[in-house]
Amino acid sequence: MKSLKLFIILPFLLGVAITAGAQPIYLYHDCPNTTTFTANSTYQANLNTLLSSLSSNATVNNGGFYNISAGRDPDDVYGLFLCRGDSSSDVCQNCVTLAAQDIVQRCPVEKVAIVWYDQCLLRYSNESFFSTMRESPKVFMWNTQNISDQTRFNGILGNTMKDAAAEAANVRSGAKKFAVKQANFTAFQTLYTLSQCTPDLSSSDCVTCLQGAISDLPSCCGGKQGGRVLSPSCNIRYEVYSFYNDTATRPPPPPPSPSPVVLPPPSPGPVTRPQGKSGISAVTIVAIVVPISISIVLFCMGLCFVRRRARKKYDSVQEDDGNEISTAESLQFDLSMIEAATNNFSDDNRLGEGGFGAVYKGTLPNGREIAVKRLSTSSGQGAGEFKNEVVLLAKLQHRNLVRLIGFCLEGQEKILVYEFVPNKSLDYFLFDPEKQGQLDWERRYKIIGGIARGFLYLHEDSRLRIIHRDLKASNVLLDQDMNPKISDFGMARIFGVDQSEGNTNRVVGTYGYMSPEYAMHGQFSVKSDMYSFGVLVLEIISGKKNSSFYQTDGADDLVSYVWKHWRNGTPLEVLDPVLRDSYSRNEVLRCIQIGLLCVQEDPADRPTMATVVLMLNSYSVTLPVPQQPAFVANSRSAQSFTLKAFESDQSTTKSAQLSVDEESITEVYPR
């Protein structure tokens, strides 16, 4: 793999590039063939003009960044370059000039292209992207050498990267959004990190882009001595050797202070000792200064002790294995405040209703909008799920998980207070013929990637290992930018660090999303969540709902339908018709293959979410060939599942029934 070879030879080549202006090191390029131009066209002429302008402006002292457009609609082209923040003007010019020549060789007829070098990136498009954050395409590269003491290293890396990201994002307007940080790992090893955004991004967009890249490090580069994540709007890198020009990253020295006026020495005279009030003796000064200094030192030590003790107490509460409601007491709301926020649970504020109860929109006194989930008092279920969800969500923080703001537990009322997510749930758009068009392929691909990152956090990166057990389109909310947020943890289970599988006698969940081992034997694990994820990916691609799939082309369900077209070599036939003019062929095929891999009958054949995130973001990863999925007509699993569903329908135990109307059937007492 090219990225592996690159990191083996990088230390030597990097030193040459910095010191001697050597040939820039090519890293990767991307130019999807969804939009192309013809040779000698107006667009090509405008592109040549733009590339020439980028090359010439690389010689100007512009901070290593420049963007420009050329031509007029419909043949206009937009482009920019970004040089690494520690690059000299000569290195920047050399890199941009080479990139402008190289990119037309690698992408001869594509209207959209980007190329990364070690010292710069260059990109252009037929649509304006200035001041707009883009996280894809994303490229991962890593050092082939493993790190010792990975747990401690990951902690130091995460903290150092976050500090560098914050510093890069919060520079003054117009300055380089670039920062480097270093930290001691061992007595002989130092960690070096780098973060950079394009300067046209806002501080919030820069932070979001860098945080997304940092969250990808465990899946792409975990346990490695070095790694980097490249995207169109930002990039990060870390190594255990100095890979950047440290001199260029240091702030300029302050201007020298004015030279003091030198007076001629006084004429010699008799030496006199101060008397009375004309001076203060050394003994008096010591008697005053020493007690004050000791008092200040003792005050600071006491303050540190109190803060450390408070932090220790907080951590001990958060790590309480009892999972009692007291772990979230600081989040408790008064019922009167909730009633005021929702206008006493007015029907005008009602957002919807699920198996848990009604959901209302509310506004707190400070103007913050909230979503209030109110447990139905007439329901015999939900008390256990309420406690479960409070304890879980109080400990989980990720941009692709819905955020718990607080809860209320007064009298018969059991209420959860969430952040308000304005665009409702994914199914609201995905399965509505009038709203499907609002989800173009770029948004759907972004949603798939966001859900994957959220589940990677649940499965591997959070302090707890969480099995969701009820992933479906209605449990994925969309924020104002259509970013996905996973919700509804009422059926989630906490796993121990070393636990890989659990078992239950009560099968709960939503028909069509449950894996065969869970539906038939009650066995659940991260791989059962992967099955649900695979079904959801196929729904997002096709715009068809698995649980209410009508027979099409001889298939009784969505998975069978997709598998038949994959086997017959016509996978693009399953694509939602509204995407026909906006999709990326390579991305769609990759997602279909990932979806089929996730619904394999044997859990061992399904990928982990870390592998899926890597598959989605790195085009250099080779995907396995999927076999016939579970629950395909005439398979053993399909027959067994049908029998079990029939038996459950005859059961008098309501908690064991399968939900066929998209409403979650939850257990009373979570374990």
Side-chain angles (χ1 to χ4, degrees):
M1 186 180 294
K2 185 173 294 185
S3 60
L4 298 179
K5 294 179 180 177
L6 173 64
F7 273 87
I8 292 172
I9 64 175
L10 186 58
F12 169 74
L13 291 178
L14 183 59
V16 174
I18 291 176
T19 58
Q23 189 82 344
I25 302 171
Y26 165 79
L27 300 179
Y28 199 80
H29 77 279
D30 181 79
C31 45
N33 59 3
T34 53
T35 308
T36 59
F37 61 85
T38 56
N40 301 319
S41 63
T42 303
Y43 186 88
Q44 185 174 29
N46 292 336
L47 175 60
N48 292 338
T49 301
L50 180 133
L51 293 174
S52 176
S53 179
L54 291 177
S55 298
S56 61
N57 278 279
T59 64
V60 182
N61 184 17
N62 51 28
F65 173 79
Y66 185 74
N67 58 9
I68 193 174
S69 63
R72 293 182 297 180
D73 186 59
D75 297 306
D76 47 345
V77 56
Y78 303 81
L80 63 76
F81 70 76
L82 173 69
C83 291
R84 212 171 74 185
D86 61 328
S87 299
S88 66
S89 58
D90 290 341
V91 170
C92 180
Q93 177 189 355
N94 188 24
C95 186
V96 174
T97 301
L98 176 64
Q101 298 169 354
D102 187 36
I103 197 168
V104 294
Q105 303 298 321
R106 299 181 186 273
C107 307
V109 295
E110 286 77 14
K111 288 187 175 182
V112 180
I114 182 170
V115 62
W116 289 274
Y117 287 83
D118 189 63
Q119 296 293 335
C120 70
L121 74 83
L122 185 148
R123 62 181 292 211
Y124 56 80
S125 173
N126 61 325
E127 296 180 352
S128 177
F129 55 83
F130 302 153
S131 302
T132 302
M133 183 191 68
R134 282 293 303 271
E135 296 182 273
S136 63
K138 191 175 287 186
V139 180
F140 302 130
M141 294 181 171
W142 56 90
N143 194 309
T144 55
Q145 301 299 313
N146 293 324
I147 197 74
S148 60
D149 194 355
Q150 295 183 13
T151 301
R152 180 170 172 271
F153 181 80
N154 290 339
I156 296 174
L157 174 62
N159 293 332
T160 310
M161 273 294 185
K162 289 177 183 177
D163 290 344
E167 181 175 318
N170 294 320
V171 299
R172 61 178 175 82
S173 177
K176 296 180 183 179
K177 293 188 181 297
F178 172 84
V180 295
K181 292 286 183 182
Q182 62 187 62
N184 293 328
F185 174 49
T186 68
F188 305 101
Q189 276 188 322
T190 301
L191 171 67
Y192 298 86
T193 66
L194 177 152
S195 296
Q196 184 171 20
C197 296
T198 56
D200 59 337
L201 290 187
S202 66
S203 294
S204 60
D205 281 347
C206 180
V207 166
T208 300
C209 187
L210 291 174
Q211 287 179 343
I214 293 171
S215 68
D216 290 324
L217 286 177
S219 59
C220 79
C221 314
K224 300 299 182 182
Q225 290 188 6
R228 68 170 84 190
V229 180
L230 308 173
S231 73
S233 295
C234 68
N235 65 86
I236 61 172
R237 184 181 178 187
Y238 74 92
E239 301 287 352
V240 292
Y241 60 84
S242 180
F243 61 90
Y244 47 77
N245 186 352
D246 187 59
T247 303
T249 62
R250 296 172 185 168
S257 57
S259 301
V261 177
V262 180
L263 299 176
S267 58
V271 178
T272 59
R273 185 180 300 276
Q275 300 292 327
K277 296 182 180 180
S278 62
I280 302 175
S281 69
V283 175
T284 303
I285 294 175
V286 171
I288 294 173
V289 172
V290 170
I292 293 175
S293 301
I294 293 175
S295 299
I296 293 174
V297 171
L298 291 176
F299 175 79
C300 293
M301 291 175 64
L303 181 62
C304 292
F305 174 79
V306 171
R307 293 182 63 183
R308 181 176 296 181
R309 185 174 180 180
R311 180 65 187 174
K312 184 176 181 181
K313 181 178 180 181
Y314 174 81
D315 289 341
S316 66
V317 170
Q318 290 296 308
E319 293 172 358
D320 178 22
D321 290 335
N323 286 343
E324 294 299 325
I325 209 75
S326 60
T327 58
E329 283 180 349
S330 61
L331 305 176
Q332 189 158 3
F333 282 74
D334 293 332
L335 179 59
S336 58
M337 180 179 291
I338 300 299
E339 290 175 336
T342 60
N343 193 17
N344 201 20
F345 301 106
S346 167
D347 285 340
D348 293 337
N349 288 14
R350 194 185 190 98
L351 296 174
E353 186 163 359
F356 188 101
V359 181
Y360 299 84
K361 180 181 178 182
T363 305
L364 295 176
N366 62 3
R368 183 175 188 178
E369 292 183 322
I370 57 175
V372 176
K373 184 185 281 190
R374 187 186 191 190
L375 177 62
S376 174
T377 56
S378 61
S379 173
Q381 298 177 338
E385 285 73 16
F386 174 81
K387 177 188 285 190
N388 194 11
E389 201 159 1
V390 168
V391 173
L392 282 174
L393 289 182
K395 298 178 180 179
L396 301 177
Q397 295 293 330
H398 190 274
R399 63 185 178 136
N400 294 119
L401 304 182
V402 68
R403 183 181 178 188
L404 176 69
I405 298 174
F407 73 97
C408 176
L409 187 57
E410 288 188 28
Q412 298 299 314
E413 293 286 358
K414 297 180 179 68
I415 297 169
L416 292 173
V417 182
Y418 295 99
E419 64 175 319
F420 177 69
V421 183
N423 278 328
K424 300 186 178 181
S425 55
L426 176 58
D427 63 327
Y428 177 77
F429 293 90
L430 190 59
F431 305 131
D432 188 324
E434 296 182 358
K435 298 182 178 65
Q436 284 179 326
Q438 298 182 41
L439 295 179
D440 58 15
W441 174 248
E442 183 178 349
R443 282 180 171 168
R444 297 194 195 197
Y445 193 70
K446 181 179 179 181
I447 288 170
I448 292 172
I451 297 171
R453 286 194 298 270
F455 266 88
L456 175 62
Y457 173 80
L458 293 175
H459 288 175
E460 297 188 22
D461 294 341
S462 67
R463 293 172 60 246
L464 306 166
R465 173 171 287 183
I466 308 298
I467 310 301
H468 189 278
R469 297 204 300 166
D470 198 23
L471 175 61
K472 56 186 177 183
S474 60
N475 283 342
V476 176
L477 306 182
L478 302 174
D479 68 10
Q480 65 273 13
D481 298 318
M482 304 299 272
N483 295 309
K485 290 181 177 288
I486 301 164
S487 70
D488 201 340
F489 289 79
M491 296 192 302
R493 291 292 185 89
I494 305 175
F495 269 18
V497 176
D498 299 323
Q499 186 179 359
S500 60
E501 186 178 286
N503 194 283
T504 180
N505 292 325
R506 294 188 178 97
V507 175
V508 296
T510 304
Y511 177 79
Y513 292 92
M514 289 187 288
S515 63
E517 72 276 7
Y518 180 49
M520 294 186 293
H521 307 295
Q523 296 173 354
F524 59 91
S525 64
V526 293
K527 292 303 184 73
S528 55
D529 273 354
M530 294 307 302
Y531 183 92
S532 304
F533 175 78
V535 174
L536 182 56
V537 168
L538 298 181
E539 287 184 332
I540 292 173
I541 294 170
S542 65
K544 295 180 172 63
K545 185 185 296 187
N546 186 51
S547 61
S548 58
F549 188 88
Y550 297 101
Q551 186 167 357
T552 304
D553 293 342
D556 295 318
D557 59 86
L558 178 60
V559 174
S560 300
Y561 172 69
V562 175
W563 168 249
K564 178 179 179 180
H565 279 289
W566 178 270
R567 183 188 57 197
N568 294 339
T570 57
L572 292 179
E573 292 296 318
V574 308
L575 186 65
D576 191 335
V578 303
L579 302 176
R580 295 295 182 188
D581 297 325
S582 67
Y583 74 98
S584 165
R585 183 177 184 275
N586 290 338
E587 290 177 350
V588 169
L589 291 176
R590 179 170 288 260
C591 286
I592 292 175
Q593 192 168 355
I594 289 172
L596 290 174
L597 288 171
C598 289
V599 295
Q600 295 293 284
E601 185 165 358
D602 187 345
D605 294 335
R606 302 171 204 157
T608 64
M609 197 58 78
T611 302
V612 166
V613 170
L614 191 59
M615 290 174 175
L616 289 170
N617 290 285
S618 178
Y619 298 103
S620 60
V621 175
T622 302
L623 275 61
V625 178
Q627 303 301 313
Q628 178 171 303
F631 295 156
V632 170
N634 299 324
S635 72
R636 296 189 306 274
S637 294
Q639 297 170 1
S640 301
F641 181 73
T642 303
L643 177 60
K644 183 174 182 64
F646 175 78
E647 292 172 345
S648 296
D649 288 338
Q650 303 303 316
S651 172
T652 58
T653 304
K654 293 184 178 180
S655 60
Q657 292 179 350
L658 299 176
S659 174
V660 295
D661 59 356
E662 291 274 315
E663 294 294 338
S664 300
I665 304 299
T666 56
E667 296 180 47
V668 177
Y669 299 106
R671 291 183 289 149

